[in-house]
């Protein structure tokens, strides 16, 4: 009798975990059951509840078609949206909780199509069979939270393993994005990937090209912002997926880093990423992580073999910034992300001109001005970029950067460095020079800003005197 009692205890414990994942789901389940329809909590919320992880998503699945779902929640939900209804999904809000209900379905890609063909089904088990991985193919029937696990997802959770419910070739053929999702879950959950899944990824990597850039971007961002991004990125490279998604990354693998002759730039970049993550204060920073990962992608194009067996990568930061902008644009990242990441890549070597603290105050001001709102991220990236095993050298670099930050703080306190504006504004420039609004005011403003960077605060009277001298030299009456 012990085994049945253990099963009852386990089912009760699972039900208790799942019940906390969706406070309003049971009431909705009763509503569907009364109308003769099935409803089940499914996928990520079930997985995360069993892992005791918090989740914002509440995903439900049903045998009711979308039109019937709309009828059943009419007057019950506080708000309804139908953005995904062509794929069988209806969204709703109830008592502050957001839920998505999707009709049982199977979907697959035509070899030349970027969008799935959707066919509705009538079986929960068959709906689970079409899902990406067994850990996401578990469900809880509502009401009552009856646990459904036809493909051994619970065992995989315990073992930390990613398997597909059926043959991985069939799963990836249905939706090639699932190959990228395998890498994403390896990053987020720290799970290993079953050998047959990895083999299928290697064989079918090229199929990822039929998936839209936006979907690839979203998965890549989740991977990079995961708890274990190294594992996910390594799987991308080892499987060949990176050659289609982020081809600059595997190209780093064979390039020798000038600071570490026995470690390639690929490995260096992963270490820099990990060291940047260690400095995060408020959760994952996508911009910082992408900059850390991509900061050296210009090295393969700039590699030169020098006398004495040396290897140089002159201006790789400038080339890398252009490559970063091009790649992130192709992946449809927002303009602000593209701009910020590529700017950090461009600036990541600037500190190394600081030497042993020889920069003038003017040079420090320019460093701050060029970094702008990215200054704190640039601090973190620069510190992360030190991966030398030479403790003495690492300590010297740390002390030198500490000194630079102290100087920035002192100048900021003395001169309101963050504001970084000329001492005369546009109206004052017009008054001093006796000119009207136009391009000339902008030229004068730039002159005064450079003056401020070079000389610091000199007072309005001296600034006006310098402005008149500049105008005379420019032939401006």
């Amino acid at each position: 009798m012990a085994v049945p009692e253990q099963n009852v205890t386990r089912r009760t414990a699972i039900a208790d975990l799942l019940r906390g994942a969706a406070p309003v789901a049971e009431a909705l389940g009763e509503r569907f059951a009364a109308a003769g329809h099935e409803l089940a909590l499914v996928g990520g919320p079930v997985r995360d509840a069993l892992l005791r992880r918090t989740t914002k998503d509440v995903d439900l699945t049903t045998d009711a078609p979308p039109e019937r779902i709309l009828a059943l929640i009419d007057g019950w939900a506080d708000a309804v949206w139908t953005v995904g209804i062509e794929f069988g999904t209806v969204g709703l809000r109830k008592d502050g909780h957001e839920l998505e209900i999707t009709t049982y379905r199977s979907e697959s890609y035509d070899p030349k199509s970027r969008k799935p063909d959707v066919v509705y089904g009538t079986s929960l088990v068959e709906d689970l069979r079409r899902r990406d991985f067994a850990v996401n193919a578990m469900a809880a029937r509502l009401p009552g939270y009856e646990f459904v696990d036809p493909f051994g997802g619970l065992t995989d959770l315990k073992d930390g393993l990613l398997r597909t419910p059926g043959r991985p070739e069939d799963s990836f053929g249905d939706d090639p994005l699932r190959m990228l999702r395998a890498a994403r879950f390896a990053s987020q959950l720290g799970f290993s990937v079953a050998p047959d899944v990895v083999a299928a990824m290697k064989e079918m990597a090229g199929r990822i090209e039929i998936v839209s850039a936006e979907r690839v971007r979203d998965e890549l961002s989740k991977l990079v912002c995961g708890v274990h991004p190294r594992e996910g990125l390594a799987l991308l490279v080892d499987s060949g997926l990176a050659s289609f998604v982020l081809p600059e990354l595997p190209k780093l693998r064979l390039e020798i880093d000038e600071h570490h002759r026995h470690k390639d730039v690929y490995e260096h970049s992963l270490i820099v990423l990990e060291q940047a993550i260690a400095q995060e204060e408020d959760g994952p920073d996508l911009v910082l992580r992408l900059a850390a990962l991509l900061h050296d992608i210009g090295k393969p194009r700039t590699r030169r073999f020098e006398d004495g067996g040396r290897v140089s990568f002159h201006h790789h930061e400038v080339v890398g910034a252009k490559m970063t902008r091009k790649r992130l644009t192709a992946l449809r990242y927002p303009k602000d992300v593209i701009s910020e990441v590529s700017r950090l890549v461009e600036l990541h070597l600037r500190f190394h001109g600081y030497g042993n603290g020889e920069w003038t105050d003017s040079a420090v001001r320019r460093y701050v001005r060029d970094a702008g709102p990215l200054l704190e991220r640039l601090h973190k990236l620069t510190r992360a970029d030190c991966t030398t095993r030479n403790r003495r050298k690492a300590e010297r670099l740390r002390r030198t950067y500490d000194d630079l930050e102290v100087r920035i703080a002192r100048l900021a306190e003395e001169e309101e460095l963050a504001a970084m504006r000329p001492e005369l504004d546009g109206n004052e420039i017009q008054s001093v020079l006796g000119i009207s609004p136009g391009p000339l005011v902008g030229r004068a403003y730039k002159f005064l800003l450079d003056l401020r960077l070079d000389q610091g605060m000199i007072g309005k009277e001296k600034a006006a005197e310098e402005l008149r001298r500049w105008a005379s030299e420019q032939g401006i009456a």
Side-chain angles (χ1 to χ4, degrees):
M1 295 295 293
V3 173
E5 288 178 1
Q6 289 176 0
N7 289 339
V8 170
T9 301
R10 190 177 78 162
R11 285 198 300 269
T12 301
I14 290 174
D16 288 341
L17 285 172
L18 297 174
R19 191 169 286 109
V24 300
E26 191 156 6
L28 190 58
E30 292 172 351
R31 191 175 186 87
F32 272 64
H37 287 289
E38 299 177 356
L39 186 70
L41 186 66
V42 69
V46 177
R47 178 199 68 226
D48 289 341
L50 295 175
L51 289 172
R52 292 176 170 81
R53 299 171 73 226
T54 57
T55 180
K56 294 181 180 178
D57 299 324
V58 180
D59 297 328
L60 302 162
T61 187
T62 180
D63 62 342
E67 297 77 10
R68 185 65 175 144
I69 296 173
L70 290 172
L72 287 170
I73 63 175
D74 184 37
W76 182 82
D78 300 326
V80 175
W81 52 92
T82 58
V83 175
I85 198 166
E86 64 177 311
F87 300 113
T89 300
V90 174
L92 65 95
R93 184 184 302 110
K94 177 67 174 179
D95 297 338
H97 300 284
E98 293 187 357
L99 306 87
E100 285 194 346
I101 310 172
T102 301
T103 305
Y104 296 156
R105 65 186 185 184
S106 61
E107 59 186 34
S108 61
Y109 279 83
D110 180 274
K112 297 182 180 180
S113 173
R114 291 178 180 268
K115 294 185 177 181
D117 296 322
V118 176
V119 178
Y120 297 138
T122 58
S123 165
L124 174 59
V125 171
E126 289 305 311
D127 181 78
L128 296 176
R129 188 188 303 277
R130 71 158 189 88
R131 294 179 179 266
D132 51 6
F133 303 104
V135 294
N136 295 328
M138 299 179 289
R141 294 185 185 275
L142 300 169
Y145 294 92
E146 176 195 347
F147 186 52
V148 181
D149 181 20
F151 304 106
L154 191 61
T155 299
D156 288 354
L157 281 186
K158 179 181 176 182
D159 295 340
L161 182 68
L162 287 175
R163 289 184 309 107
T164 53
R167 291 190 340 124
E169 293 83 0
D170 295 336
S171 181
F172 299 155
D174 287 345
D175 186 352
L177 188 69
R178 291 172 176 173
M179 294 185 288
L180 190 53
R181 284 170 64 85
R184 189 251 284 190
F185 284 123
S187 170
Q188 288 184 327
L189 303 175
F191 283 12
S192 60
V193 182
D196 64 329
V197 174
V198 175
M201 291 172 67
K202 291 180 178 179
E203 180 182 345
M204 303 177 68
R207 286 276 287 160
I208 197 69
E209 290 189 300
I210 72 169
V211 182
S212 70
E214 290 81 1
R215 295 184 73 204
V216 169
R217 172 203 64 206
D218 290 346
E219 290 297 328
L220 182 62
S221 294
K222 292 174 183 177
L223 186 163
V224 170
C225 289
V227 181
H228 312 278
R230 172 187 279 269
E231 284 77 358
L233 292 167
L235 181 57
L236 284 188
V237 172
D238 293 343
S239 67
L241 270 175
S243 297
F244 300 95
V245 173
L246 198 62
E248 296 79 6
L249 189 59
K251 288 180 180 178
L252 296 176
R253 217 170 194 183
L254 301 179
E255 303 302 329
I256 304 302
D257 184 288
E258 75 270 30
H259 299 303
H260 306 278
R261 297 297 177 83
H262 303 293
K263 185 181 294 183
D264 61 30
V265 181
Y266 168 75
E267 176 65 20
H268 165 76
S269 298
L270 294 181
I271 294 174
V272 172
L273 172 60
E274 291 174 330
Q275 294 185 164
I277 291 171
Q279 300 177 71
E280 291 177 337
E281 300 164 356
D282 301 310
D285 182 340
L286 177 63
V287 168
L288 176 63
R289 293 191 182 199
L290 285 174
L293 180 63
L294 302 175
H295 76 285
D296 274 349
I297 63 171
K299 282 188 171 180
R301 290 190 183 179
T302 58
R303 182 175 62 163
R304 298 291 182 272
F305 296 99
E306 310 289 354
D307 293 339
R310 291 180 61 253
V311 180
S312 67
F313 302 94
H314 296 307
H315 306 300
H316 77 267
E317 74 281 11
V318 177
V319 173
K322 292 178 180 178
M323 294 171 63
T324 296
R325 181 175 293 277
K326 183 177 180 180
R327 175 55 52 200
L328 296 185
T329 298
L331 288 169
R332 304 290 195 272
Y333 273 96
K335 290 182 179 179
D336 59 333
V337 173
I338 297 171
S339 175
E340 290 172 355
V341 175
S342 58
R343 185 61 168 159
L344 285 171
V345 171
E346 182 181 3
L347 293 174
H348 83 271
L349 282 186
R350 184 74 64 87
F351 159 72
H352 294 284
Y354 188 67
N356 292 316
E358 299 93 344
W359 277 3
T360 62
D361 284 353
S362 172
V364 174
R365 293 186 194 101
R366 291 180 185 279
Y367 186 79
V368 174
R369 183 194 67 173
D370 291 347
L374 297 173
L375 182 62
E376 288 303 317
R377 283 175 169 142
L378 183 58
H379 288 334
K380 295 174 182 176
L381 177 60
T382 302
R383 290 183 182 277
D385 196 24
C386 176
T387 61
T388 178
R389 294 179 181 177
N390 185 320
R391 293 185 178 180
R392 183 175 297 178
K393 182 178 180 181
E395 179 61 20
R396 177 175 58 80
L397 287 170
R398 184 193 65 78
R399 287 199 308 268
T400 304
Y401 206 84
D402 285 346
D403 176 68
L404 176 58
E405 289 203 58
V406 168
R407 289 185 64 187
I408 290 172
R410 175 177 59 78
L411 286 172
E413 183 177 355
E414 292 175 357
E415 305 180 13
E416 297 182 357
L417 196 59
M420 200 65 71
R421 298 186 183 90
E423 292 184 77
L424 303 179
D425 62 22
N427 291 330
E428 290 168 321
I429 291 171
Q430 294 175 58
S431 176
V432 169
L433 297 183
I435 59 176
S436 301
L440 186 54
V441 177
R443 288 172 56 197
Y445 187 94
K446 183 180 184 303
F447 163 75
L448 289 173
L449 179 58
D450 288 338
L451 183 69
R452 165 77 187 278
L453 290 168
D454 290 335
Q455 300 185 25
M457 301 286 283
I458 60 175
K460 286 182 178 292
E461 184 176 341
K462 179 66 173 176
E465 179 183 332
E466 291 293 323
L467 178 61
R468 283 189 286 267
R469 180 188 59 77
W470 170 81
S472 176
E473 293 174 352
Q474 298 294 314
I476 299 169

